Amino acid sequence: MSRIKEFNLPDLGEGLTEGEILAWLVKVGDTIELNQPIVEVETAKAAVEIPAKWAGQVRAIFHPEGTTVEVGTPIISIDTDPGAGPLEESTTGAPAADLPTPSAASLAAVEVAPSEGAIEPGLIGGPAPGGRTAVLVGYGPRTTAAKRRPRKGGVPAQASAAPAPSAPVAPAPAPAPAPVVPDPAPAANGNGRAVALVLAKPPVRKLAKDLGVDLTTLTGSGPLGSITREDVQRAASGTPAAAGPLTVTAPTTAAASFGADREQRIPVKGVRKLTAENMSRSAFTAPHVTEFLTVDVTRAMKALDRLRERREWRDVRVSPLLLVAKAVLLAVKRHPMVNSTWAGEEIVVKDYVNLGIAAATERGLIVPNIKDAGRLSLRELANAMTDLVQTAKAGKTSPTDMSGGTLTITNVGVFGVDTGTPILPPGESAILAFGAVREMPWVHKGKVRPRLVTTLGLSFDHRIIDGELGSKFLRDIGDFLADPEAALLAWT
């Protein structure tokens, strides 16, 4: 059994086909242990560290950082028994440098058997000086005459390189050189001298001609550096320009340019590529409907403040998103059809909720999910959300954490946005957009008062969720956020 093992890029889940090598964690010659992380790879879902399948010594790394490699391609070789001594090289595998180099005399003695008759000298495939065979670079010998495209305006090249035996052929006259086109920038005056182009109106030019002033020697003080009558008159009288206040001309705006030098091309790969594929498939497969609801969440925000003050919650991250997640989970229990998947000939209703939380990362948007979130207490839910977001921000989310989602929340409010019309993740039937919480005038107990208000946007698959079900589901979420304590008493 060979000591050298080649490690192939594995399928990291969900049928991934390729991955980009972000960083090698080992180098050639390093001694590694079993399950030691050796490379960091970005798949279409996340950046993951891949452990070694064998212990041993790194012998070769086949792909540098930044390379996109297909699943199943060898990426590294490992010597699994480095203590057994140096490896023996097989005879057939010896490097080409160890083989004897043939001498020039032996090469010259090699004769090439003619194919279908001898080939005349000067034909491709025929003999050339030094005993070689005349061939085109990159092609095999041919038995046809070499032909050249005739030059325009010249004498066509001869088909044969050898002179005809009947009479010497006079050399073709060299084609006349093409006329040189002068640079249009400088003009020429009557004496044939080059004259630089100047900016001056016809009356100014006539004045300069009458006074014998050479306009090319002047520096214009007019708009865009044009020469004025005063400039010509000062030059004619020999008077320098008056030292007065400088006239600052406004800088000219360059003409609009739309060339490739002002464009940036970003390869579509990894998370961005997967997101584009999923969003396109979802947008053109599931018929989307989006409804909106504006809610007074003043009581909910006060409840969060009281929760933060409790001793057992002081080390827990408490945010408005936590209450939104709890509201969604309770509303799903009241309307289980929302947590389902369209499967062609049937609808799969799920008794568990893998709650997805959309997270913006440096590599793009990802949606990890909390598995079976409905079974968690409020404190457990808060801890799970904190871990999920921190792992996503660090780029350490595993493909398992991003698969199997059943319902998603996207918190667009963190960007100061009121709401949106989110696109469903593939396989899910509903997604909720949670907007920014703002202080706004609101009618409360018959009077206009400043209240904390937010807007919710619910997109759902109209094949599964009709308008009534979607409206009731959104209304229940709003009722919980308007008065969470009363909703908990009423629904649990």
Side-chain angles (χ1 to χ4, degrees), residues 142-203:
R142 296 177 58 186
T143 59
T144 57
K147 296 182 179 179
R148 296 180 59 186
R149 185 187 302 272
R151 298 178 181 176
K152 294 183 179 179
V155 179
Q158 299 298 323
S160 174
S166 58
V169 179
V180 178
V181 180
D183 190 350
N189 59 12
N191 298 325
R193 294 186 295 110
V195 179
L197 296 178
V198 295
L199 290 178
K201 295 180 180 179

Side-chain angles (χ1 to χ4, degrees), residues 183-270:
D183 190 350
N189 59 12
N191 298 325
R193 294 186 295 110
V195 179
L197 296 178
V198 295
L199 290 178
K201 295 180 180 179
V204 177
R205 293 179 182 274
K206 184 178 183 302
L207 177 62
K209 183 178 180 181
D210 294 341
L211 298 178
V213 176
D214 186 358
L215 292 177
T216 61
T217 63
L218 303 184
T219 301
S221 61
L224 303 180
S226 61
I227 298 175
T228 64
R229 294 179 61 89
E230 291 75 12
D231 296 331
V232 175
Q233 291 170 350
R234 278 195 297 267
S237 62
T239 305
L246 295 177
T247 303
V248 180
T249 58
T252 59
T253 303
S257 172
F258 307 100
D261 58 331
R262 299 183 64 191
E263 298 175 349
Q264 181 183 10
R265 296 182 179 271
I266 302 174
V268 179
K269 58 184 179 179

Side-chain angles (χ1 to χ4, degrees), residues 298-307 323 330 479-492:
T298 305
R299 289 184 178 178
M301 298 301 104
K302 291 181 178 179
L304 282 180
D305 292 338
R306 294 195 299 271
L307 188 61
L323 286 187
L330 290 176
D479 287 346
F480 180 91
L481 295 177
D483 193 346
E485 292 139 330
L488 284 173
L489 291 174
W491 298 348
T492 59

Side-chain angles (χ1 to χ4, degrees), residues 22 40 46-49 359-364 366 368 386-398:
L22 295 181
E40 184 179 14
V48 295
E49 292 182 351
T361 69
E362 293 182 355
R363 295 187 177 93
I366 63 173
T386 300
D387 293 342
L388 179 145
V389 173
Q390 290 179 349
T391 302
K393 297 288 186 183
K396 301 298 183 181
T397 304
S398 67

